[in-house]
Amino acid sequence: MSTYWNTRTKNLSPYVPGEQPRDRRFIKLNTNENPYPPSPKVIEAVQKAADERLRLYPDPECTEFREAAAARYSVKPEQVFAGNGSDEILAFAFGAFFESGAEAYPVLFPDITYSFYPVYANLWNIPYSAIPLCEDFSVKTDHYKIPSGGAVFPNPNAPTGIPVPLADILSLAGYLGAVNKALVVDEAYITFGSVIDGGQSAVPNINDHPNLLTVHTLSKSASLAGLRFGFAIGNEKLIEGLRHVRDSFNSYTVDRLALAGAAAAVKDFSYYDEIKRRVVATRERTAESLRSLGFNVLPSAANFLFIKAPNVSGRDLSAALRENGFLVRHFNKERIADYLRVSMGTNEEMDAFLKACGEITGRA
């Protein structure tokens, strides 16, 4: 800590990202990256964009991507906002839609959820209230129908992977809309859900709920974690609010190469639909195998599983897996300290993971 830091900086508790090791080779199941490569059309688009035009600033309106996304999701380009990853967009959303100051109503989000939310709230001096998950770790939206400054949560939730039924989301959007408060739904993992398990996107409902903003990332579903690209879809006035905040920081948050790659990604949905099917099949097979080993595995609509070993603590299992060459995510927090979040790898990687879990727990 430096004497030059202001009070805000001194009081911040930054988000801690998942480990990205350099010293040895691991099977990385800790950061929800996609195990399969991006579309060849994305690589081609990035390569074509890497020319003499790099001397020029990129399009601040991200027109090419917004038009491509609008066509893909059956919305208007004016209803799409592009940013340097969904984290940036979420930070803008906190600044744009939730009131700051001790006298403001608190923004609501789950007590077990994406741990960047309290970081954003503290950064913007926004009061917040963490709403406890139900005993089965599900989000019950009726608990959010209280006086508040608005609400935000992932669907599916992270790190649990449990989806929130679309009907419940729309009911909450209606409640908050009646008091002029925003609902931000972080759909980072929605691609890996289905109508059957409740993982339905709220995008088709934005015209009926002008206070509903959905936030998306290409890191997971499009295998582009290294590209850093996210986008939001919502009412034009919400998008304008995000632009107001963005342009108060930096009008050029998305570079020319990322724009080209992102536009190509949202157009090549047939390629990514096949990847999704493979990831979901691996998830279901892995969940069944872990349950046969005695693990508690929460129902997931994401590209990861939240698991609890039958006779090993979360901390010890994480350490043992690391010794065996596997990185997973352990959250040392109340209620979930004995759980691990495990991203889905290839079938071969998950077979090796299952073998290690059986040996560590003595149930091989």
Side-chain angles (χ1 to χ4, degrees):
M1 185 176 297
S2 169
T3 57
Y4 300 109
W5 290 12
N6 63 19
T7 302
R8 177 186 295 108
T9 304
K10 292 176 182 176
N11 290 336
L12 287 177
S13 296
Y15 173 78
V16 179
E19 181 182 359
Q20 297 287 351
R22 290 173 172 266
D23 57 340
R24 57 174 289 195
R25 183 173 179 83
F26 288 92
I27 293 179
K28 283 186 79 280
L29 307 177
N30 64 325
T31 51
N32 299 340
E33 294 153 324
N34 200 307
Y36 301 107
S39 163
K41 294 181 180 178
V42 172
I43 305 300
E44 180 183 2
V46 172
Q47 290 173 337
K48 286 184 177 179
D51 57 21
E52 71 280 355
R53 290 173 297 172
L54 290 177
R55 67 185 177 82
L56 303 173
Y57 285 109
D59 174 15
E61 301 302 322
C62 305
T63 306
E64 179 186 9
F65 172 81
R66 289 170 54 240
E67 290 178 346
R72 172 71 178 87
Y73 292 94
S74 300
V75 298
K76 295 182 289 186
E78 295 78 15
Q79 295 175 313
V80 180
F81 178 89
N84 187 358
S86 61
D87 287 341
E88 178 185 78
I89 297 174
L90 287 166
F92 290 163
F94 269 73
F97 308 126
F98 305 137
E99 293 290 349
S100 300
E103 301 303 316
Y105 279 117
V107 62
L108 308 178
F109 47 76
D111 64 334
I112 299 172
T113 193
Y114 187 30
S115 52
F116 231 140
Y117 297 158
V119 175
Y120 296 140
N122 290 329
L123 176 64
W124 289 101
N125 192 29
I126 297 168
Y128 66 87
S129 179
I131 305 298
L133 296 182
C134 297
E135 187 175 350
D136 63 356
F137 292 108
S138 63
V139 172
K140 187 172 181 61
T141 56
D142 283 349
H143 295 168
Y144 293 73
K145 294 178 179 179
I146 59 177
S148 74
V152 56
F153 51 75
N155 185 34
N157 192 21
T160 65
I162 299 176
V164 184
L166 179 60
D168 292 354
I169 291 174
L170 299 183
S171 176
L172 179 59
Y175 173 87
L176 291 172
V179 291
N180 297 316
K181 301 300 180 183
L183 172 60
V184 178
V185 182
D186 182 355
E187 294 192 344
Y189 304 101
I190 198 69
T191 299
F192 302 100
S194 67
V195 173
I196 294 175
D197 61 26
Q200 294 175 263
S201 174
V203 168
N205 304 97
I206 62 166
N207 289 326
D208 296 326
H209 297 278
N211 65 322
L212 176 60
L213 184 78
T214 63
V215 180
H216 311 260
T217 176
L218 297 186
S219 296
K220 324 299 182 185
S221 60
S223 306
L224 291 173
L227 191 73
R228 309 311 306 131
F229 198 96
F231 61 101
I233 300 178
N235 178 272
E236 293 92 328
K237 294 299 183 181
L238 294 180
I239 301 304
E240 185 179 350
L242 292 174
R243 291 176 60 190
H244 267 61
V245 175
R246 178 199 66 190
D247 291 346
S248 298
F249 282 90
N250 176 13
S251 295
Y252 300 101
T253 62
V254 181
D255 67 69
R256 185 180 296 275
L257 304 185
L259 280 170
V266 297
K267 293 176 183 177
D268 197 7
F269 49 85
S270 61
Y271 174 89
Y272 287 112
D273 282 347
E274 175 57 28
I275 283 182
K276 169 195 169 180
R277 285 191 287 270
R278 294 168 69 181
V279 171
V280 169
T282 301
R283 180 190 74 204
E284 295 306 301
R285 183 179 66 85
T286 302
E288 181 179 356
S289 297
L290 285 168
R291 291 188 181 108
S292 71
L293 293 173
F295 280 72
N296 179 23
V297 183
L298 299 190
S300 175
N303 67 334
F304 57 82
L305 294 171
F306 206 48
I307 68 173
K308 181 181 179 181
N311 54 5
V312 183
S313 72
R315 181 186 297 276
D316 289 345
L317 180 58
S318 177
L321 285 168
R322 184 184 180 90
E323 287 299 313
N324 282 269
F326 299 91
L327 291 182
V328 295
R329 197 74 189 267
H330 176 245
F331 300 91
N332 190 26
K333 297 181 178 180
E334 188 177 357
R335 293 184 67 189
I336 60 171
D338 282 334
Y339 284 81
L340 299 179
R341 191 194 68 192
V342 181
S343 309
M344 289 301 99
T346 63
N347 282 325
E348 293 76 16
E349 289 172 334
M350 299 317 295
D351 285 342
F353 170 78
L354 289 167
K355 182 175 183 293
C357 284
E359 292 173 350
I360 293 168
T361 59
R363 301 196 175 203

